[in-house]
Amino acid sequence: MATLHTKNAARAMMAPAVIVLLIWMIVPLAMTLYFSTLNYTLYNPFSTPFVGFENYSYFLNDPTFLAALANTLVLVLGVLAITVGGGILIALLLDQDFYGVNIVRLLVIAPFFVMPTVAALVWKNMMMNPVYGVIGQFLQALGIAPIDWMTDVPLLSIVIIVAWQWLPFATLILLTALQSLSMDQKEAAEMDGAGALSIFWYITLPHMSRAITVVILIQTIFLLSIYAEILVTTQGGPGSQSTNITYLVAQQATSYGDIGAASAGGIVAVILANIVAIFLVRLIGKNLDA
Amino acid sequence: MGQIHLEKVRKAFGDVVIIPELDLQIEDGEFVVFVGPSGCGKSTLLRLIAGLEDVTGGKIVIDGKDATELPPAKRGLAMVFQSYALYPHMSVRKNIAFPLKMAGMDKAEIDKRVDYAAKTLNLDNYIDRRPAQLSGGQRQRVAIGRAIVREPEAFLFDEPLSNLDAALRVGMRLEISELHQRLKTTMVYVTHDQVEAMTMADKIVVLRAGNIEQVGSPLELYTAPRNTFVAGFIGSPKMNLIGGAEAGKFNAATMGIRPEHVRLSTSEGAWKGTVKVSEHLGSDTFLHVESPVHDEPLTVRAGGEFPVHSGDVVYLTPEPDKVHRFDANGLAIR
Ligand SMILES: Nc1ncnc2c1ncn2[C@@H]1O[C@H](COP(=O)(O)OP(=O)(O)O)[C@@H](O)[C@H]1O
Ligand SMILES: [Mg+2]
């Protein structure tokens, strides 16, 4: 009943929610924009002179900025590669019928329920610690020198930790997609002479493309803003080897007390995120059309 | 060649036996229809032949070679699924080309065969569309096209017309029959619709609960059903099966008479009855008549228009040479 009357009624009823949402988003954004033009530090919060774009040029010219940008990309792409690739493999495995498959499915989902800080601390102290971590012990048992993960390969360590947390999400979404593939199609392909690999490549993978797109889009949004895992493990170090944009922005405020630079960094991050979003939607968004 | 022999084929899912031992010969070039009520194991039998299910026992011999252990693709059979099972993300062209591509055929030959198939099936205008952009009948044709390009030894159809509307079904029925005339390839066709079976088959296999009740040409099944099940299943409307005293007069436990073999009169006849419902189709009139000889209404056909209405009294006389007689086990007495 899409009459003029019902449309107007719908608008009137949606208005409060839309207005609240707008305020919710616009007010912080406007304040951030405003702060980013002030010389506003926590050391002297009562004098906040207008400085124009100075905070932006300071943030963008910080040598750490380019490193953080590169780290952010490595982090996002690395985690996406592991979770999508691994998710497809695990989903294929869990789609099989074997004894205890329900319990295994539950176990695979479990990491998703662990808080990011807890997961990162467990990985740092119990898995990756070179002396008493599980991985170190295992390598030592094999006669290989243990790796000091957080110092030697800090970015890789964070990629592994974050991928571990997001693998269940990817697996779950991809598994549901896989289960909705009709048996008939697989059988038809089998009769048409397609082997297991061909069926995967020509039938299963295209069928999952929409789910893969959803996984990539949703994860990218969250992966751009990783913070807690870095804070409790490497704190962006050594140097700036594991600093991403989010961490760099937070550092401006928490370490240097520079609210102006942090706000400018925040705006830069918003712009970057939008560039990524536009890029992604252009690249893979067509998969979402019916 | 397209000769399929089933020898003592059995199929059970776990403890549930779907097909107890079954023998069947399908000869080269035949159009064989498996017909039977829903759930009787028709699809299962077809899938056994296709190789999509493993037999529990027995042998499947295709063209003289034991194919029991062969994977589906190696049996030289093509199947058209009830759901069509088209690949939704591929164009019509790619769908039809898929089996050829999997066979590693070169591009020029693939294009030639696909174009030819598309033309014969009137699909040339839709060749670049996706399945979702096609009507039911067109999808059906794509599924058939995908089967014929492979030039298989035999075609397997699993209720291919059941998702189409009535008018389209009649059209596709003809098209499939014509295709068989032209290709002369063996076709095995599953349906629960006895009209499809009667109109298309060279040989009908009537199945009930995994057992073969009778094998024969449509006319054989019509004129000489082997038992009451086949008698009731083949023919439309159903044969009247009457037990009790009336059957006793014919020295049988059950007598059967088809609606078209009962003479109708408003004045005299063997059985008196009252019309309950009359269906006027123009070309025929079907009467459902309540009569003391049977506790269910008898169905009677009158050619053309027969002017009676609910509540009228009519007299029925079975044509004596068209009466079917069955013994206490339901088997025909010859
Ligand atoms: N994979 C299966 N597992 C268990 N039972 C099945 C399976 N496939 C079919 N059946 C059973 O076998 C019987 C025959 O099924 P089917 O061959 O599909 O019947 P039809 O095609 O004649 O309607 C049905 O009772 C069905 O429940
Ligand atoms: Mg069936």
Side-chain angles (χ1 to χ4, degrees), chain B residues 42-43 82 158-159 190:
Chain B
K42 307 179 295 288
S43 297
Q82 181 171 3
D158 190 356
E159 309 220 12
V190 163

Side-chain angles (χ1 to χ4, degrees), chain B residues 21-47:
Chain B
E21 252 178 44
L22 176 150
D23 289 281
L24 181 67
Q25 267 85 45
I26 295 168
E27 301 308 335
D28 187 28
E30 263 185 336
F31 197 121
V32 177
V33 175
F34 295 169
V35 69
S38 270
C40 71
K42 307 179 295 288
S43 297
T44 306
L45 189 56
L46 198 71
R47 291 165 58 80

